[in-house]
Amino acid sequence: MEKDIQQLKTWIDHSDNVVFFGGAGVSTESGIPDFRSVDGLYNQKWKYPPETILSHSFFTRNPEEYYRFHREKLVIEGVRPNTAHLRLAELERQGKLKAVITQNIDGLHQLAGSKNVLELHGSILRAYCSRCGKKCSAELMNYGEGVPRCECGGVIRPDIVLYEEPLDNDVMTRAINYIRNADVLIIGGTSLNVYPAAGFINYYNGDKMALVNLSSTSYDNYADLVIHKKIGEVFSQI
């Protein structure tokens, strides 16, 4: 086992207050494309930039185009949790991991068995009416045709945080508290370019911050341990 991975394993072995903060790179090994890599959604050609399509104003004025993108690019069939998801769930069962804080909307952490998952950007597995607020079927939203509508006539929307929308205050507060009080903070599979979520790691007060990401990030110099490898490969050894 490489020295840096061994160091991370030692930190985890000797702690019962580990917090994980993850992004799109956690799910790429499950077959879900990330947003900013060479093959990510932001580098694919659409009539509108993905950032525009995934915005509140665009959803409001052009739900038809939004749902064309949503069903083709956000709904991925047959995805399963990978080694990282499964190992994190195992660490929680062992009483070591206190929380998973994720920027992902795919629900794979819960599918792997994690219980305390803080979804900063919501979930594609939940939906509600944009008019009356009633909870609605995610099946209709993800696999139907055209623009899904509630019984009241309102447009059904995914329970995700679109661009131009704020994060949920309760989820933010809980995430910051977990990070602030963590002994070991593992940051995995994220470019740390999406704010305000990326800024949460600045609340960490400890000296065991591990950054696991395939490529370098602007936070590499601030981490106590940096591992540039696929996160599944790293978690398979810890």
Side-chain angles (χ1 to χ4, degrees), residues 158-236:
D159 188 11
I160 63 176
V161 179
L162 297 171
Y163 285 102
E164 305 168 350
E165 295 178 339
L167 301 185
D168 181 271
N169 280 328
D170 178 63
V171 175
M172 280 198 303
T173 299
R174 292 173 60 207
I176 289 170
N177 284 336
Y178 275 114
I179 290 172
R180 178 183 285 126
N181 296 312
D183 174 28
V184 178
L185 175 63
I186 305 173
I187 303 163
T190 173
S191 60
L192 295 172
N193 286 326
V194 178
Y195 288 85
F200 290 1
I201 67 173
N202 293 321
Y203 288 93
Y204 179 62
N205 295 313
D207 59 0
K208 297 182 183 68
M209 179 194 293
L211 206 166
V212 183
N213 198 54
L214 194 56
S215 59
S216 60
T217 77
S218 58
Y219 278 82
D220 282 13
N221 292 334
Y222 298 95
D224 302 293
L225 182 64
V226 177
I227 304 174
H228 287 152
K229 292 183 180 297
K230 290 184 177 181
I231 192 164
E233 178 182 339
V234 173
F235 271 83
S236 68

Side-chain angles (χ1 to χ4, degrees), residues 60-237:
T60 301
R61 71 174 181 269
N62 197 345
E64 294 84 1
E65 184 68 12
Y66 169 83
Y67 270 108
R68 188 176 76 86
F69 180 89
H70 176 104
R71 293 178 179 130
E72 184 170 336
K73 289 299 180 183
L74 299 187
V75 180
I76 310 296
E77 293 284 353
V79 294
R80 301 294 301 173
N82 60 51
T83 303
H85 296 109
L86 296 170
R87 181 59 176 140
L88 286 165
E90 183 180 1
L91 289 172
E92 183 185 51
R93 289 192 295 271
Q94 293 172 349
K96 290 184 168 296
L97 186 75
K98 297 303 182 186
V100 168
I101 302 167
T102 181
Q103 300 175 80
N104 296 340
I105 59 174
D106 51 45
L108 288 179
H109 284 293
Q110 291 92 329
L111 190 59
S114 290
K115 304 299 182 184
N116 192 23
V117 181
L118 282 66
E119 296 171 314
L120 295 177
H121 297 148
S123 174
I124 199 175
L125 303 180
R126 299 188 300 268
Y128 65 92
C129 176
S130 59
R131 178 185 293 175
C132 70
K134 176 184 175 182
K135 292 182 179 180
C136 301
S137 168
E139 290 290 317
L140 177 63
M141 173 185 71
N142 291 333
Y143 300 103
E145 295 183 0
V147 178
R149 292 190 178 273
C150 174
E151 295 174 351
C152 76
V155 175
I156 295 173
R157 59 158 290 171
D159 188 11
I160 63 176
V161 179
L162 297 171
Y163 285 102
E164 305 168 350
E165 295 178 339
L167 301 185
D168 181 271
N169 280 328
D170 178 63
V171 175
M172 280 198 303
T173 299
R174 292 173 60 207
I176 289 170
N177 284 336
Y178 275 114
I179 290 172
R180 178 183 285 126
N181 296 312
D183 174 28
V184 178
L185 175 63
I186 305 173
I187 303 163
T190 173
S191 60
L192 295 172
N193 286 326
V194 178
Y195 288 85
F200 290 1
I201 67 173
N202 293 321
Y203 288 93
Y204 179 62
N205 295 313
D207 59 0
K208 297 182 183 68
M209 179 194 293
L211 206 166
V212 183
N213 198 54
L214 194 56
S215 59
S216 60
T217 77
S218 58
Y219 278 82
D220 282 13
N221 292 334
Y222 298 95
D224 302 293
L225 182 64
V226 177
I227 304 174
H228 287 152
K229 292 183 180 297
K230 290 184 177 181
I231 192 164
E233 178 182 339
V234 173
F235 271 83
S236 68
Q237 298 182 60

